[in-house]
Amino acid sequence: MRIRRFLDVFTIVSLANSILILSVVLVSLVLVVESLPIIARDGLLPLVTSIWNPVKEEYGFLFALGGSLVTASLALVFSLALSIGSAVMYAEFLPRRFRVIVKNLMDLAASIPSVVYGLWGLKVLSPVLRTYIMEPLSELGLSQFVGRPTPAGTSIFTASILLAIMVTPLASAIIRERLLAIPSHIREALYSLGLTKVEVITLELKYIKRSILTATAVSYGRAVGETAAVAMVVGNVINLEFFKVFKPGYTISSLIADQYPNAEAYYFMKHALFYSALVMFFVSLAINIVLLKFGERV
Amino acid sequence: MEHSLRSRVTKTRRLVLIVGIVLVLSTVGSLIVQKQISQTETATVNPQPESKTTSRLVYITGGGASFINPQMQAWIRVFMEKTGGTISINYQSIGSGAGEAKWLEGALDFGASDIAISKTGYEKLKESGKRFIQVPIIAGSVALVYNLPRFSEAGCTLRLTGETVADIYLGKIIRWSDPRIVELQEGRCRNFLPDAEIFGIHRSDGSGTTALFTMYLSLVSREWAERVGYGYTVTWPRDALGLGEGARGNEGVSAKVQATPNSIGYVELAYAVQLKLPVAMLRNRDGYFVYPNATTVMEALRAAAKELPGPQEFWGDLPLKHYMNREGRLSYPIVGTPAVFMYIDLPKDLADALYEFFKWVLTEGQKPENIVEGFIPLPEEMRIKALQYLELLKPRG
Amino acid sequence: MKPLMLRKIRSLTMLALISTAFALTLLPVLSLIGTVVYNGMSVVFRNFPGIFFDIPAAPGSSEVGGIGPHLLGTMLLVALAMAIGTPISILAAVFTAEAIKSWERNLGRLTRLLTHMMIEFPTIVVGLAVYGLMTTLAPYIRALIPGFRPFSLLSGVIALIMVSAPYMYAQVEDGLKSIPQHIREAVYSLGAGRVLTSYVLLRYLKSTVYAAISISLARMISETAALFFTAFGSNVYPPLDSNLLFRPVGSLTLAVYTLGLSGYENWVELSWAASFILLMLCLALFALSKVVIRGE
Amino acid sequence: MDSVVQIRDLWVSIGGRSILRGVNLEIPRNVVFAIMGPSGSGKSTLLRSLNRILDLYEGVSVKGQILIDGVDVYNSKTDPSEVRRLVGMVFQIPNPIPNMSIYDNVALGPRINKLVRSRWELDNLVRWALEKAYLWDEVKDRLHLPASKLSGGQQQRLCIARALAMKPKVLLMDEPTSNLDPVASAKIEELIVELKRDVTVVLVTHNSFQASRVSDYVAFMYDGQILEVGPTGQIFTRPKNKLTEKYITGRFG
């Protein structure tokens, strides 16, 4: 009894919290300290310029920032369409005995390492997309808007499709669970008003729009930060026209993975890459704030 | 009471599960350990005749140039088999710049680069006062590869000069039919050059290959030296015209050239050989058009070997003057010697292990059976110098 | 009549779109699993069981060798990171949920805020920061441990913990928060102190805790980007001695990445084999977690 | 009079809002003591202050003194879990730990407080508590089943057994029948009357008929204060306070 009063076990437990806090603080500190030299030199310039010329120690990573945002946004659009569709299919149409299989398959898909997705994307998805989607479309005359695909098929578009495939199982699960959790009396009330199934589904989707927002933010966060899979299919080319999505490009993550190894041969490249990481830090912070404010916990 | 019986049953089941997992894990683990031990045992049974018997396992971490990675992995495998695993060498291809930088930081036991220690690196070394050596271990050269189907079918080989290559990548030569290119070709072949735009492909990731290639261009073209310069990563003027594009790694560049008609690119010779891409001839300093191959590369390096600086001197820009564009009828102009960097005052077992490995690399390792297809061993003159440099690694007294 | 037709057409279009989306969601997953199994299994059986123990064959050779060092590396990394990370995240979650005094509550809130920031954080940034930190600290650590290197098992373990601890923390903490107050009060009213109460509540939350652990385990096994600059990768076995913690190790995911991008046929095959083994690990973990959670 | 609980000038505020304002109360041993009052009058807070469960809430400040069986509850040297060991509690919602077995739920208290030294002793204690709670005959063949398998009334009796297994001096009951059907409630009420042989029962209820049926003493609370205390018969036949009268005759509000 006496010992307990002197040495509250629970106070010792607070050590675990301190370790977590310390680690987050240290990570942020390292990012800030390592980016300071380039911030002091260039300020916000690297965010708005697209020159990556280590020979002259010029580092503007707009092309990679743009690439990150474009890939993630495109991936979001595709994955939202896919995940809402498949969640509705699951909750409203799929016979019960298939549900178990589909659910397990999707849950498994969500746990497959991204680098395995990357390998598959490189060897299977890229050639398929190039032959059946990107080339026909650019032949149709879209090439001045979206660029021409390269022979390998790696491009910003490919990366965003791969990302969409990767995040859909998770996003779909969030929407699916909420759809299934809609109380049956609400559904019955809607049907009793004489609405068709499609109209009911539309209303149900409106009813769970918070979950859809959550799924959106989670997908976007994953997509923006994913490295290994993207680095394998995005092409890793300094592409100033990152909006021409059939051309290969860079994302911030793949820029770091690609350029960091050689960075310390220069004075500022390392700092520039840390700066780009810091920018990613703020992007994912913003997404987290959106999630905390408006989303639901998953 | 009945319930306690039941809960004991579920507890037993859980116990069985845990025991099962532990068993599987420990079996795998012990198999691995056993393998290690058996390696060590064979080592003690068959001690290397010359080596000072290192009873402990020594683990060496190295990293750097991706170009030499295949050759390095092959060497490591053979060497580890020969020494029975007393020395483990881990080489990761992280790029030349990283090889130098991480070695300087002390994160690696040895660094490897397509080029020599950079000026910044050399300054850092001087500041720290640490003693080091740099030793060439293999010959390297950059080949220009191209994709001109009709031209190749006609049995022709592209001939280029340094200046035209620089002008192509500078965007000053736009089409294959440009007179500056046409006039270099053999008479019959001039008609087979297409009147099409040249698609210039280059590395997008930082690489020693790019460093070698741009060094050469800086040497032969004043305009290149002023407008672009040389380094692991440069900005490519041709890209701005929409006539150029980057690709990742030697394999990316070769794949892209292979798939894109009317394109040109540069890769390490080994990759061109392996993928059987058409390789251009370059005009050397003496005015002869030469292919990159064992003879021409070794010829160029033989000339350079005479002026190879000491192991602790600043090699810095020297490859530019001394390796590139050498005299000699048979010299190929873009060559280099990928080198490894090591500190001298290391713990004894580590120094011994490094010495043993690189000594093997510079003797047995240079024999044809240990050279990976497409790679070229060091010429004899260079090899002997390298061995001399390596001797510094042996602890004195 | 007309509106009814319109309604029907709308229904059919919607149904078609939904089915397409469903098919497009499942197809890539099936293709992925199929490709990995097809390409990977043949390689695994070509060198069985050596694939689990050997080191990779020389690039371009006709043999494949194995991915033993990478398998060992993944096992070491994940085992250590789990052993350190799990208690830290669970204890921190317990502390946050059961905080009473005002400094405790504030510390809990701060933990919650900061760790939530780290959720969905790009893992390459975590890896980069850990590398930066270890490089800065290296000279000081080396004074204590002479063999220390920033590229090491230790750095890899720290990076893995930082990647997965926020998740585990958030899940356990949410679980503890979601326990109805009257159940918590019931346990306290039996005279349990906070430590005992937390223990009872965690047992009550068993399935949540198991789920959190198995998800963390899966995340750690799957992690690639955070290991680039920390664990560094290795194609050979590190000696299993007291310095093991301070030496670089390989991992299956790094093997998939570097071997897959190498361009050498036998290495790409090895990369498929590593993918296959990773897939099987995930599948086993997935099945195990289903069994354990259902068993509760 | 031998009082097991003594409350002296108790002031409680939560988040700056004062909930209890100067409560004085003495509760005799081995009786059923009912606390009545409209919702929001502070009954539950009073109950929760007795075993320091209030500590779990944020921004609680307590002034005054409570003695339970001689233990000074709010003394800074007193360990809250020592207090809670003396005081059992039964809640409004039946709250056994659902995925724990019936046996383990009852054994929880003895295990936490290390009241028993052997498996055999624990088995006997569990059986004793379940018998006291009139539950033994219904559950003796399925002790290993999770508690969630029981009906609401059974769960509430299980909670009572769980509290009893700790051998408390005082048993706090916070509207224990408000979530049960009439049959289950009747059973619990019957049980409450029996329990006072072993333990002092403090019963919070807003149901004045229940108070009149089971209790020996009644305290009437209003707005954080005790308006009237006395033997049940006296309060229900001759209430001194107008508000009390209104409340028990159902004309309140």
Side-chain angles (χ1 to χ4, degrees), chain C residues 35-86:
Chain C
T35 320
V36 169
V37 170
Y38 177 80
N39 286 331
M41 205 148 68
S42 58
V43 184
V44 167
F45 284 113
R46 220 164 84 199
N47 182 13
F48 189 84
I51 194 100
F52 299 112
F53 308 113
D54 292 348
I55 65 175
S61 93
S62 57
E63 287 167 39
V64 282
I67 42 170
H70 312 94
L71 194 60
L72 176 71
T74 291
M75 276 163 57
L76 287 172
L77 282 166
V78 172
L80 280 174
M82 282 305 283
I84 303 167
T86 313

Side-chain angles (χ1 to χ4, degrees), chain A residues 55-56, chain B residues 162-172 202 210-231 233-238 266 320:
Chain A
V55 178
K56 293 187 179 141
Chain B
E163 295 86 340
T164 44
V165 175
D167 284 349
I168 288 173
Y169 277 100
L170 280 170
K172 287 170 71 184
H202 56 78
T210 304
L212 281 179
F213 183 61
T214 49
M215 264 180 186
Y216 169 68
L217 295 185
S218 303
L219 189 68
V220 294
S221 157
R222 179 179 291 272
E223 189 177 350
W224 184 273
E226 281 164 5
R227 272 180 64 190
V228 183
Y230 63 87
T233 307
V234 298
T235 12
W236 298 85
R238 197 172 181 88
Y266 63 91
L320 191 77

Side-chain angles (χ1 to χ4, degrees), chain B residues 178-257:
Chain B
D178 193 290
R180 279 170 285 181
I181 298 181
V182 173
E183 68 176 22
L184 297 173
Q185 312 308 319
E186 285 174 307
R188 178 178 76 85
C189 292
R190 293 183 181 174
N191 307 322
F192 293 106
L193 279 173
D195 184 25
E197 285 165 342
I198 305 170
F199 199 61
I201 294 163
H202 56 78
R203 290 282 289 271
S204 61
D205 51 333
S207 89
T209 313
T210 304
L212 281 179
F213 183 61
T214 49
M215 264 180 186
Y216 169 68
L217 295 185
S218 303
L219 189 68
V220 294
S221 157
R222 179 179 291 272
E223 189 177 350
W224 184 273
E226 281 164 5
R227 272 180 64 190
V228 183
Y230 63 87
Y232 298 115
T233 307
V234 298
T235 12
W236 298 85
R238 197 172 181 88
D239 285 11
L241 303 174
L243 295 173
E245 200 168 82
R248 189 169 192 281
N250 278 306
E251 56 277 10
V253 171
S254 29
K256 197 170 257 187
V257 169

